[in-house]
Amino acid sequence: MSDVRVAGVGLTPFGNAPERTSRDLFAEASITAFEDSGVPRDDVDALLYGNFMGELSEHQGHHGPLMAEAAGVRAPATRYESACASSGAAVRDAVMRIRNGEDDVILVGGAERMTNLGTAGATEALAIAADDLWEVRAGMTFPGAYALMAQAYFDEYGGEHEDLAHVAVKNHENALNNEKAQYQSAIEVSDVLEAPQVSSPLGLYDSCPISDGAAAVVLTSEAYAEEHGLEAPVSISGTGQGGDRMALHDREYLARSPAAREAGDEAYADAGVDPADVDFAEVHDCFTIAEVLAIESLDLFPIGEGVSAARDGRTTADGETPINLSGGLKAKGHPVGATGASQIAEVTKLLSGKHPNSEFVDGATTGVAHNAGGTVASATVHVLEVSE
């Protein structure tokens, strides 16, 4: 199998840009990725593109060829939809296609336009990633769903809202120097605890924002990178995907994420690494409790210890295993179709020393990207390593 190299990455700023279309956003991210990679557009064999709510936010389907045109690529193009894990799923397929020798160069990424819908409209659009028949029609929203998961965790393993507040504070701190982040401002634990409640026990600062943005990544085979003299020191060495029942009431666990554990175990085995080998991770913290569930599912912390990891300084920038040095979804933002690919971009920049927070992982060789859909009914995990 071919080694899969990350030749170039591109991100738009994440934030509030209701006037910008998804094609405009993806065009910008793609321009940056191609400039970073040095790969000619004519060499691209395929575009794999993640998007979740384009039909609702832009009255637009059939995104693949539209985004190929926006990126200046003349190649077969496919749109992936797996809720918030849409571009994570696209990355996984891109990795497998290059490994199998089907393609040498793939442009993979995603975009989402959300803020033009307003808060109520975006919340309603996001809700279609839940079970419409048994959850949405009963009034379930994702803040409510994750609040149920948080309370279940507290009941089973302990912890309190103040523990989760430290997750939010940490991620805002990490975003301060990230020019692409939606929120480049520090907050205090008291800000989190005193913020308006969204769904008990979660408050406003426990939640990621509604965001517009795009991410693009140029992946190549090792042979292509060497033949064309590319500077591509980071490879995707492991990929995994997991699934769970759609509705919370049908699941065996509320306080764990089996889909993420399956994806992580598969990715670790694929890469030939253990959780102890991981230097840092970018995880899907759509809500503060989601980061806790993610780091436990990835075996970075034992079950029951993830809730206090930020409070104890174990996941901070200078901690034993830094988590979400980009600011995570919580502070960097969450344009859902772009998130999985953006995590690949952030991990790549951290490993190659090109990220504003690379100093905290100087000498690191292994990073992980964890992307989740819905209440983690879908999950992808990728292991990235510095190639020798």
Side-chain angles (χ1 to χ4, degrees), residues 156-357:
E156 189 161 354
Y157 304 116
E160 57 185 359
H161 189 203
E162 188 168 344
D163 293 310
L164 300 182
H166 283 271
V167 174
V169 170
K170 168 184 69 68
N171 291 346
H172 274 260
E173 181 73 21
N174 289 343
L176 288 176
N177 296 321
N178 187 350
E179 63 179 8
K180 304 299 185 182
Q182 185 163 350
Y183 294 138
Q184 299 170 47
S185 55
I187 60 173
E188 304 293 336
V189 168
S190 59
D191 295 323
V192 183
L193 298 179
E194 295 168 9
Q197 192 171 82
V198 176
S199 184
S200 179
L202 304 179
L204 183 64
Y205 281 118
D206 290 287
S207 312
C208 71
I210 296 167
S211 314
D212 306 306
V217 179
V218 178
L219 299 179
T220 75
S221 64
E222 182 179 19
Y224 180 95
E226 292 178 351
E227 179 183 348
H228 293 81
L230 301 183
E231 183 182 346
V234 176
S235 64
I236 300 180
S237 59
T239 180
Q241 185 169 358
D244 201 352
R245 302 296 292 270
M246 184 82 152
L248 288 181
H249 63 262
D250 286 331
R251 296 192 188 170
E252 183 178 0
Y253 303 105
L254 286 184
R256 301 186 195 181
S257 297
R261 180 168 294 277
E262 290 173 11
D265 288 348
E266 184 180 4
Y268 291 146
D270 190 34
V273 301
D274 293 318
D277 298 318
V278 176
D279 295 304
F280 65 91
E282 289 287 315
V283 305
H284 197 96
D285 61 323
C286 49
F287 296 90
T288 49
I289 186 62
E291 177 169 309
V292 173
L293 297 176
I295 61 177
E296 292 184 357
S297 298
L298 294 171
D299 271 338
L300 301 177
F301 293 88
I303 293 175
E305 292 187 19
V307 70
S308 61
R311 189 174 193 168
D312 295 341
R314 300 173 71 187
T315 57
T316 55
D318 57 357
E320 63 188 73
T321 309
I323 301 296
N324 286 330
L325 284 168
S326 69
L329 286 63
K330 175 66 199 73
K332 185 183 71 175
H334 183 31
V336 294
T339 289
S342 77
Q343 293 174 321
I344 300 296
E346 298 284 5
V347 174
T348 298
K349 291 193 289 184
L350 285 160
L351 286 173
S352 58
K354 298 178 180 179
H355 195 280
N357 286 331

Side-chain angles (χ1 to χ4, degrees), residues 12-24:
T12 67
F14 285 7
N16 186 11
E19 74 288 350
R20 298 191 67 184
T21 62
S22 57
R23 73 184 82 184
D24 176 33

Side-chain angles (χ1 to χ4, degrees), residues 122-134:
T123 301
E124 184 177 356
L126 287 165
I128 68 171
D131 186 324
D132 180 73
L133 184 60
W134 297 110

Side-chain angles (χ1 to χ4, degrees), residues 55-78:
E55 290 84 353
L56 299 178
S57 66
E58 299 186 286
H59 195 64
Q60 181 66 63
H62 204 190
H63 286 238
L66 187 68
M67 295 308 160
E69 181 179 348
V73 170
R74 297 184 65 86
T78 305

Side-chain angles (χ1 to χ4, degrees), residues 6-11 29 32-34 36-37 216-218 341 344-346 348-349:
V6 183
V9 301
L11 297 171
T32 304
F34 281 119
D36 186 42
S37 70
V217 179
V218 178
I344 300 296
E346 298 284 5
T348 298
K349 291 193 289 184

